């Protein structure tokens, strides 16, 4: 589904290469995890895939079901079925969460040539999905992420994911800032979305999240490339021994 | 007119151009003559006046105004759900046939011309009086000009809880329309009144509204200016607020080659509140100036100024806002914020926030910011599939919403939001 080949990326504003030839293939129905130390380029990878400004792709490609992502605007990537759950969800004062969700859902439906949801249909859908994530009516009414706790922000990301039903979901350190209960709730939300047609790329520092969202494949990223790939046991190895041993072994 | 003006005097030229025939009772003749004297004493504003530092008054003071193509009438019904008493002005002249009958429970209402023709009228204590008081410490010659010439307007005395708003709706039909309109409003003790203003008025529009709110009275004002691109407008809103009264005024402005909206408020009674807010959106040949002067002259009063300007393609936004706290105005709570959102590098926002405080037990704060659309927010929205244009509009609407929230009535605020969203949409279409 997601195919990344030899992806090289630099920061636009300074001559600093962050990604140095990332190769990664995520198949439909699978959950891949990327782990790695700080500064290894994990978040950059997620931003580049989602289309954030400020990065320059100097080589390589990234495709989603054969469509070249790197040529598309962020909204076009979203319409293709790509979704990034932000590490730091953005607070947008003055934009109601509900308005935001409905605009996003309908923008994507429109882009795909589907009928837009009317207010009643939308409300019914969002209420059902919000309830399973323990998001109350008040959170839906408030401005996007404004005054939300860390856990509420992450749950709101998962709600967006559930509403938009993307086929390729990237979760960028969704566990950061979450206590155990909140993490369970978020993981349940993610697990509920797992199906044969959907793939996940879960970026995390810690093995903890992977106890709840069981990965099929685990990649270790260091210094801008994937240095080791294995099964779930790789995450446990990191948890026990840190990155040092793995990095030393591949160096 | 009781005052000799030189024939080629620019003041005389303007007075001559804007004057219309009418009947003046004793009080009106006096008021008109006094206004003319004030105007002659001040002269017209010029580029060198500090108060006009950011806005060139020349188009407003020129002997003639350039023609402006008439606008389709599109905002007459925007407030229909509030079932306002609608009073229509065509090219600045009151049109009785197009208007609802001048009658509404809880108020006395008549045309300015009718009030001016009477020998004795309560309006003598307000007409030109609040304007004259507002000439110090800063001169506002265009307002004096208005008091000197105006014959069209509405005179309202609210005596109870008026359940329907009064809407002044303007239609612009003659390209050369150059006019002065003057409204006089007194809200009596315990009474409440909402005034709405809509419609493109004229090629050049000079408007004054004087509002006196007695103890515990409430006055709400919601105005929509636009969408006429080439219009020139100078408007003044003078208010005097007595004890425990509440005053709220909001203006939405879209387009306009030159708009100067002045608001001059004096809080003269204890525990009064005054909120003035404005949101404007302009691109290209657009110059919008909000000039606000709030004087705290009593104890424990609150004032708020919230102004938001969205500017694009060479548009200019100006804010001059002042809070003056007199020595006896202890416990004053004054707040002022003005913000510009620049959608490109060609536009500018000029702000002059001022506080002048002579009392020692007050809370006054002010802020002024200017910036571009937040890239992180834009990325967040677009990453969810919302187009960059839609996302920008959402952020624009969010940006101005703090000003819209100042509208007392939520339903009226929603009308403004819908109107603005519609205009943004049309601009793109």
């Amino acid at each position: 589904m997601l195919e990344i080949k030899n992806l090289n990326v630099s920061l636009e504003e300074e001559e600093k290469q962050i990604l140095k030839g990332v190769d990664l293939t995520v198949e439909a129905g699978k959950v891949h995890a990327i782990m790695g130390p700080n500064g290894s380029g994990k978040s950059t990878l997620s931003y580049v895939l989602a289309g954030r400004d400020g990065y320059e792709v100097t080589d390589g490609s990234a495709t989603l079901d054969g469509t070249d992502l790197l040529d598309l605007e962020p909204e076009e990537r979203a319409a293709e079925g790509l979704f990034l759950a932000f590490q730091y969800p953005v607070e947008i004062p003055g934009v109601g969460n509900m308005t935001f969700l409905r605009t996003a859902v309908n923008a994507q439906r429109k882009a795909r040539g589907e009928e837009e949801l009317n207010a009643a249909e939308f409300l019914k859908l969002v209420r059902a999905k919000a309830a399973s994530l323990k998001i109350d009516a008040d959170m839906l009414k408030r401005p996007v992420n404004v005054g939300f706790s860390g856990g509420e922000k992450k749950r709101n990301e998962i709600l967006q994911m559930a509403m938009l039903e993307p086929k390729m979901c990237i979760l960028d350190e969704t566990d950061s800032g979450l206590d155990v209960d909140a993490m369970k709730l978020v993981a349940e939300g993610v697990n509920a979305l797992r199906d044969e047609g959907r793939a996940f790329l879960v970026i995390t520092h810690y093995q903890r999240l992977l106890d709840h969202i069981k990965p099929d494949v685990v990649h270790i990223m260091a210094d801008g490339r994937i240095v080791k790939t294995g099964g779930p046991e790789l995450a446990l190895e990191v948890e026990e021994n840190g990155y040092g041993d793995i990095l030393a072994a591949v160096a | 007119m009781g005052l000799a003006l030189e024939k080629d005097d620019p003041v005389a030229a303007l007075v001559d151009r804007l004057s219309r025939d009418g009947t003046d009772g004793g009080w009106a003749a006096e008021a008109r003559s006094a206004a003319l004297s004030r105007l002659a004493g001040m002269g017209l504003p010029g580029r060198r006046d500090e108060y006009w530092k950011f806005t060139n008054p020349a188009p407003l003071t020129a002997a003639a105004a350039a023609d402006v193509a008439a606008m389709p009438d599109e905002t007459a019904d925007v407030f229909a759900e509030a079932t306002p008493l609608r009073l229509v002005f065509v090219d600045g002249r009151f049109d009785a046939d197009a208007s609802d009958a001048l009658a509404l429970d809880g108020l006395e209402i008549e045309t300015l011309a009718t009030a001016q023709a009477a020998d004795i009228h309560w309006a003598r204590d307000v007409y030109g009086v609040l304007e004259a008081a507002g000439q110090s410490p800063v001169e506002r010659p265009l307002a004096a000009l208005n008091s000197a010439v105006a014959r069209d307007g509405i005179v309202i005395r609210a005596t109870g809880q008026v359940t329907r708003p009064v809407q002044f709706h303007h239609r612009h039909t003659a390209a050369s329309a150059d006019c002065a309109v003057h409204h006089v409003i007194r809200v009596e003790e315990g009474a409440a009144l909402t005034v709405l203003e809509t419609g493109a008025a004229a090629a050049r529009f000079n408007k004054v509204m004087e509002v006196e709110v007695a103890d515990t009275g409430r006055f709400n004002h919601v105005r929509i200016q636009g969408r006429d691109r080439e219009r020139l407008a100078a408007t003044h809103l003078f208010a005097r607020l007595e004890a425990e009264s509440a005053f709220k005024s909001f203006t939405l402005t879209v387009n306009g080659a030159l708009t100067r909206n002045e608001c001059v408020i004096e809080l003269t009674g204890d525990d009064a509140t005054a909120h003035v807010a404005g949101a404007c959106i302009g691109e290209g040949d657009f110059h919008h100036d909000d000039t606000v002067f709030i004087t705290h002259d009593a104890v424990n009063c609150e004032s708020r100024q919230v102004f938001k300007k969205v500017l694009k393609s060479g548009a200019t936004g100006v804010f001059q806002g002042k809070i003056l706290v007199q020595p006896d105005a202890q416990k004053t709570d004054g707040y002022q914020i003005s913000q510009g959102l620049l959608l490109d590098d060609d536009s500018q926002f000029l702000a002059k926030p001022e506080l002048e405080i002579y009392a020692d037990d007050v809370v006054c704060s002010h802020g002024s910011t200017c910036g571009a659309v937040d890239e992180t927010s834009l990325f967040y929205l677009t990453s969810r599939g919302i187009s960059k244009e839609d996302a920008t509009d959402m952020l624009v609407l969010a940006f101005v919403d703090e000003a819209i929230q100042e509208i007392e009535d939520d339903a009226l605020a929603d009308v403004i939001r819908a109107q603005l969203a519609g205009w943004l949409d049309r601009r793109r279409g």
Side-chain angles (χ1 to χ4, degrees):
Chain A
M1 175 170 285
L2 177 68
E3 206 159 335
I4 301 169
K5 284 183 184 158
N6 189 33
L7 190 62
N8 282 265
V9 172
S10 300
L11 289 181
E12 250 172 22
E13 303 223 327
E14 44 187 310
E15 296 255 325
K16 190 180 174 193
Q17 194 175 357
I18 309 284
L19 299 184
K20 301 169 180 173
V22 173
D23 286 293
L24 180 67
T25 302
V26 183
E27 309 83 8
K30 301 289 186 193
V31 174
H32 283 228
I34 296 186
M35 302 181 73
N38 288 325
S40 56
K42 305 187 300 294
S43 285
T44 296
L45 177 63
S46 70
Y47 283 145
V48 168
L49 292 173
R52 186 174 192 153
D53 281 345
Y55 300 100
E56 189 187 351
V57 176
T58 53
D59 201 7
S61 67
T63 59
L64 184 63
D65 279 342
T67 304
D68 181 5
L69 285 177
L70 302 178
D71 248 10
L72 302 178
E73 295 297 327
E75 63 269 27
E76 294 169 325
R77 300 180 194 205
E80 287 294 326
L82 184 78
F83 181 90
L84 169 63
F86 281 52
Q87 183 181 359
Y88 303 109
V90 181
E91 296 186 9
I92 309 185
V95 175
N97 208 15
M98 205 73 136
T99 309
F100 163 58
L101 278 169
R102 189 172 163 210
T103 309
V105 167
N106 279 336
Q108 292 206 16
R109 293 182 78 96
K110 204 172 152 190
R112 296 181 193 138
E114 297 164 14
E115 190 97 353
E116 292 184 30
L117 293 181
N118 67 34
E121 291 167 337
F122 173 80
L123 203 63
K124 204 175 151 192
L125 195 62
V126 79
R127 279 197 181 138
K129 304 216 177 205
S132 65
L133 287 160
K134 297 208 168 80
I135 290 175
D136 59 23
D138 182 55
M139 266 176 76
L140 289 172
K141 259 189 265 169
R142 281 182 351 220
V144 179
N145 293 325
V146 176
F148 286 27
S149 70
E152 287 174 335
K153 284 181 182 172
K154 296 299 171 80
R155 267 145 60 198
N156 200 33
E157 292 294 286
I158 305 305
L159 174 63
Q160 292 165 42
M161 195 162 85
M163 291 298 297
L164 295 170
E165 299 184 325
K167 57 187 179 192
M168 181 69 229
C169 309
I170 304 170
L171 278 65
D172 186 7
E173 301 203 14
T174 295
D175 50 340
S176 68
L178 294 188
D179 59 32
V180 179
D181 292 339
M183 183 152 47
K184 272 187 188 161
L185 205 57
V186 164
E188 281 166 19
V190 171
N191 288 330
L193 287 168
R194 288 181 75 158
D195 76 32
E196 286 174 8
R198 183 171 290 132
F200 290 84
L201 186 60
V202 180
I203 294 171
T204 181
H205 268 299
Y206 304 107
Q207 196 265 338
R208 222 169 40 149
L209 179 66
L210 304 179
D211 283 342
H212 303 286
I213 306 174
K214 301 257 188 260
D216 298 297
V217 183
V218 174
H219 308 273
I220 305 297
M221 193 165 182
D223 192 27
R225 52 174 80 83
I226 305 285
V227 295
K228 190 166 183 183
T229 296
E233 72 285 352
L234 193 54
L236 293 169
E237 195 184 323
V238 168
E239 184 74 2
E240 277 171 28
N241 304 325
Y243 293 108
D245 291 357
I246 296 169
L247 298 186
V250 299
Chain B
M1 288 251 177
L3 192 88
L5 291 164
E6 295 291 329
K7 207 177 172 192
D8 55 356
D9 181 335
V11 172
L14 257 183
V15 168
D16 189 45
R17 180 175 169 86
L18 294 171
S19 289
R20 283 172 178 169
D21 290 337
T23 309
D24 280 332
W27 75 270
E30 270 176 40
R32 203 181 292 284
S33 165
L36 198 58
S37 295
R38 282 196 294 281
L39 175 60
M42 292 183 272
L44 292 167
R47 198 66 211 263
R48 289 189 180 169
D49 292 334
E50 178 64 21
Y51 218 45
W52 292 85
K53 187 176 171 182
F54 299 133
T55 297
N56 181 6
L60 298 169
T61 59
D67 284 0
V68 170
M71 270 290 294
D73 188 13
E74 58 175 24
T75 51
D77 296 322
V78 293
F79 292 113
E81 284 202 9
T83 62
L85 181 82
R86 189 160 71 201
L87 306 174
V88 177
F89 291 79
V90 177
D91 298 328
R93 307 212 81 155
F94 177 67
D95 185 335
D97 292 339
S99 300
D100 293 339
L102 284 164
L104 193 60
D105 283 347
L107 52 72
E108 296 164 19
I109 185 166
E110 61 197 306
T111 64
L112 179 66
T114 307
Q116 282 173 333
D119 263 331
I120 298 171
H121 200 282
W122 64 264
R124 71 171 291 169
D125 294 332
V126 183
Y127 184 92
V129 174
L130 270 54
E131 172 259 297
Q135 298 292 351
S136 169
V138 189
E139 292 177 346
R140 307 171 199 280
L142 293 171
L145 167 69
N146 184 299
S147 297
V149 302
R151 292 210 173 269
D152 283 285
I154 300 294
V155 176
I156 299 174
R157 195 164 78 94
T159 52
Q161 298 290 326
V162 186
T163 50
R164 292 168 64 194
V166 175
Q167 178 185 7
F168 302 146
H169 180 66
H170 289 273
R171 286 187 200 142
H172 179 202
T173 62
S176 61
D178 186 3
C179 57
V181 169
H182 195 125
H183 305 297
V184 179
I185 294 163
R186 177 162 165 87
V187 179
E188 297 292 355
E189 192 173 331
L193 174 68
T194 297
V195 168
L196 311 171
E197 289 187 274
T198 48
R204 184 167 67 176
F205 187 42
N206 182 325
K207 194 204 73 183
V208 167
M209 179 148 73
E210 291 173 292
V211 182
E212 191 169 48
V213 187
D215 295 355
T216 70
R218 289 174 182 277
F219 178 78
N220 289 299
H221 174 229
V222 178
R223 166 168 60 168
I224 299 176
Q225 284 178 314
R227 210 176 32 98
D228 40 347
R229 282 191 182 279
E230 298 156 80
R231 66 136 192 286
L232 310 172
T235 78
H236 290 81
L237 174 54
F238 295 96
R240 185 156 68 195
L241 309 179
E242 293 164 9
E244 294 177 50
S245 64
F247 172 100
K248 281 194 173 186
S249 172
F250 169 87
T251 302
L252 170 68
T253 308
V254 175
N255 299 342
L258 173 55
T259 307
R260 164 97 159 196
N261 291 334
E262 294 196 25
C263 185
V264 185
I265 297 173
E266 190 175 8
L267 296 134
T268 59
D270 296 348
D271 305 306
T273 62
H275 292 203
V276 196
C280 80
I281 299 211
E283 62 181 330
D285 187 15
F286 172 88
H287 184 107
H288 183 89
D289 177 337
D290 282 299
T291 291
V292 181
F293 198 114
I294 296 183
T295 304
H296 282 260
D297 220 351
V299 176
N300 200 35
C301 292
E302 178 203 305
S303 71
R304 279 174 70 85
Q305 302 172 40
V306 180
F307 286 87
K308 303 270 184 161
K309 298 178 198 296
V310 182
L311 306 163
K312 189 179 171 184
S313 308
T316 299
V318 175
F319 174 76
Q320 302 188 104
K322 179 153 181 169
I323 305 172
L324 170 61
V325 182
Q326 298 289 21
D328 293 332
Q330 299 295 1
K331 307 285 183 194
T332 287
D333 181 356
Y335 173 76
Q336 180 196 89
I337 182 83
S338 63
Q339 296 182 304
L341 179 66
L342 307 183
L343 296 182
D344 55 36
D345 294 338
D346 303 325
S347 304
Q348 59 175 347
F349 173 57
L350 306 162
K352 192 168 78 171
E354 289 180 284
L355 298 179
E356 193 175 332
I357 301 173
Y358 296 103
D360 53 14
D361 183 14
V362 304
V363 178
C364 277
S365 61
H366 67 86
S368 190
T369 67
C370 185
V373 171
D374 180 54
E375 288 296 330
T376 306
S377 300
L378 201 58
F379 173 58
Y380 191 65
L381 294 174
T382 55
S383 79
R384 298 306 183 237
I386 300 168
S387 72
K388 194 173 178 187
E389 292 75 20
D390 283 338
T392 303
D393 281 358
M394 285 176 90
L395 294 173
V396 163
L397 291 169
F399 171 75
V400 301
D401 207 64
E402 188 187 355
I404 296 174
Q405 284 168 24
E406 290 296 320
I407 297 171
E408 176 75 15
D409 183 319
D410 289 341
L412 295 180
D414 283 340
V415 169
I416 294 294
R417 290 186 181 103
Q419 186 65 30
L420 189 51
W423 274 340
L424 286 174
D425 210 36
R426 184 193 301 216
R427 171 166 292 178
R428 293 220 318 270

